Amino acid sequence: MGSITCDRVSELKAFDDTKAGVKGLVDAGITTIPQIFIQDHHTKHKFDDKPICRDPKISIPMIDLQRIHKDSSLRSQVIDQIRSACEEWGFFQVINHGIPTSILDQAIDGIRRFFEQDVEVKQKYYSRDYSKKIKYCSNLNLYSAPTLFWKDTLSCVMDRHFSNPEDLPEACREIMITYNNLMWKTGGTLFELLSKALGLDPNYLKDIGCVEEMTIGNSYYPECPQPELSIGIATHSDPGFVTVLIQDQIGGLQVFHEDQWFDIAPVPGALVVNLGYMMQLITNDKFKSAYHRVFSNKEGSRISIESFFMNNSCSRRYGPIKELLSEVNPPLYPEITLKDIYNNQSLKNNELSALDKLKLASHSG
Ligand code: OGA
Ligand code: NI
């Protein structure tokens, strides 16, 4: 990372003060990207230069949830598929999940309306205040991040029954309420299947609070005049339990698996499901969370919507699930809170992951 000079800080502040995000730069007609967005090799992740697998036959598992509520043998096949996907990839896609494709498309359209409306309307939501439930921002960690992302975000902490709909931006209000209602339902089904895949009672994960809080991250990745110099979102794993993602047709999302990167090509109507650090921790490494990243591109703006199921309450502690432990499978982690994960997420990409740092001393190294 370049040293934090006055120049850099004032450049960051000038960018922040526009309250127009990365899209504002593109709208202004830039043809070269500002220095603060240029990736340098010091900030690269240790896996960033690993090969990209271009074999179109290999990709994250696709799992069909059709009729699982009616046919118990189909249901147990699906549970087996989910178990393998979580053990091997930490990522899978689902179709026939209960959210109509037309709703997914409308959600993407609604988010596009939000980001592409008059900047004056959007600016009212611009904030870096962590306590705000609904906020539009670019690079939440702008002043501390070693690497800036070519990305703007509208993040919304959602309740199961969203009690203040008027707090949502008008451009996407109605569809977000619909999408939110359906996502809680589909999320509930996914956590039941994940519980069963772990050999637990179907309500187990729900009962320990995995489906109590959800934040929806709405991401807008503007087209970039120099995509090879920037990154949409750098290599990372998600902190919470499960993330459910939809993306438009542009592409650019990749997952790291068995020492290679794999494209997650857009599939109309599908939901991409991935596990976060918390899920890996409570399953004592039976299920994996996987690194992923998004490239920026020249062709057009990309939209994705992430529903992060996590438990933000700072006091709630989670450790490996007792029922999964035995003499031959002792706990690898102490009991921690989500905050411990955030605090251990390194800003230096070549260091250990948050989970590796939290591993009990007897199992590390
Ligand atoms: C994230 C993420 C991927 C995408 O927001 O954590 O990984 O496709 N997003 O936008
Ligand atoms: Ni992610």
Side-chain angles (χ1 to χ4, degrees), residues 266-286:
V267 176
L271 303 177
V272 176
V273 182
N274 72 280
L275 310 183
Y277 282 140
M278 265 296 188
M279 194 62 146
Q280 181 168 340
L281 180 138
I282 63 173
T283 64
N284 209 39
D285 279 359
K286 180 174 169 63

Side-chain angles (χ1 to χ4, degrees), residues 81-144:
Q81 288 168 4
I82 288 182
R83 183 184 311 108
S84 314
C86 293
E87 289 174 355
E88 288 159 26
W89 288 83
F91 260 81
F92 56 96
Q93 313 207 43
V94 290
I95 48 169
N96 297 312
H97 39 67
I99 310 184
T101 304
S102 59
I103 298 291
L104 305 184
D105 293 344
Q106 286 172 45
I108 300 267
D109 291 346
I111 296 311
R112 186 174 297 286
R113 273 197 304 279
F114 173 79
F115 283 103
E116 296 183 355
Q117 69 187 322
D118 285 349
V119 70
E120 294 76 33
V121 184
K122 217 164 53 170
Q123 277 167 336
K124 286 194 232 114
Y125 296 92
Y126 195 87
S127 171
R128 12 193 106 256
D129 178 352
Y130 275 89
S131 67
K132 270 218 160 95
K133 287 197 166 187
I134 313 280
K135 61 177 169 284
Y136 151 59
C137 192
S138 183
N139 287 281
L140 206 51
N141 300 321
L142 186 72
Y143 296 99
S144 55

